[in-house]
Amino acid sequence: MPNSSMVTEFLLARFSDVWEFRVLHAMLFLLMYLGTLMGNFLIITVIIFDKKLHTPMYFFLMNLSVLDMCCISVTVPKACVIFLIDNRMISIVGCAAQVFFVYLCASTELLFLTVMAHDRYVAICQPLHYPVIMNPQVCVRLMLASVSSGAVFAGLHTGYTFHLSFCQSNVVHQFFCEVPSLWMLSCSDTLSNEILNVISVVVVPGGCFAFITMSYIHIFSTVLKFPNSRDRKKAFSTCVPHILVVTIFVSSIATVYMQPTSHSPTLQGKITSVFYSIVPPFVNPIIYSLRNKQIKESLKRLTNKKTSLRKLTDIRLCYSC
């Protein structure tokens, strides 16, 4: 197929053309966006400033928060713009950039979650070897390997998608450039793209999910053998947030990319895309902050330090007066 395309720009879709609904959708998206940025930034700040959290588990959690902030920034700001103004246009280069970064963030996040499951497995099942197996150098290498693998995965799918010719329509029936929606606009044969997509979903998310599942089978079998119920509860408490995040993320991706390609766009398809592109980055900090005792304790310590510093400053100002 030729590389050239008759389409030079795409038009993104809204959930509704009614102005009042467009404003409502923009406000909801903006609130979720700001909530995601604030929640993840708070987790990053707590981990950086609390030395007790300078462990492999929280190192990966911090990187996951950075990734979530990047992921939601790829789609939501542009979506808010098209909701509020009449111009829905996105250039083919901008569309390709969205596809690349969505795939990069999604695949890298999945790899991070897999590494975090391995970290929990080593910490609980091989505690004596934990400092050696999960040393700082290994953690950095795992993080870089995840990002690099995600970039290769994203580059492959972006290149293969935009190798197609687009000459039927330029209206993408999504609020961002989503690959299945772009296939609907192609006048090329997309069978090879769909086969690649299924293989990729089975190999990467499927492989990661299988690895995570096996890790937790070993973890739970080990934890149930703990004689002390307090130790069992503590071990489970570190695993539950991760399990919830993995379940939400993997199930939402599978719902979108494992269903047959439909040439009849529906509102349900747009809503489903929200659940993997916006909801996981939004709920991740909520899950980790509510379910993680150490995060909550660190937040209290930081808050108490700020309160103490404020009081000390007020006292100094009073003496200076």
Side-chain angles (χ1 to χ4, degrees), residues 1 28 50 53 64 73 93 113 133 165 170 248 257 272 274 277-278 285 295:
M1 283 292 149
L28 289 173
D50 192 336
L53 300 182
L64 186 68
S73 297
V93 174
L113 292 172
I133 296 174
S165 295
N170 68 337
I248 293 170
Y257 285 93
T272 303
V274 171
S277 62
I278 298 176
I295 291 285

Side-chain angles (χ1 to χ4, degrees), residues 12 29 33 68-83 90 95 97-99 101-103 105 174-178 273-274 276-279 281:
L12 299 176
F29 271 47
Y33 180 61
D68 281 337
M69 293 170 70
C70 295
C71 185
I72 201 168
S73 297
V74 174
T75 57
V76 171
K78 182 65 177 179
C80 290
V81 170
I82 68 168
F83 291 159
I90 183 171
C95 190
Q98 271 199 340
V99 169
F101 285 110
V102 166
Y103 267 99
C105 293
Q174 268 297 356
F175 61 91
F176 68 99
C177 286
E178 186 185 58
S273 295
V274 171
Y276 85 87
S277 62
I278 298 176
V279 172

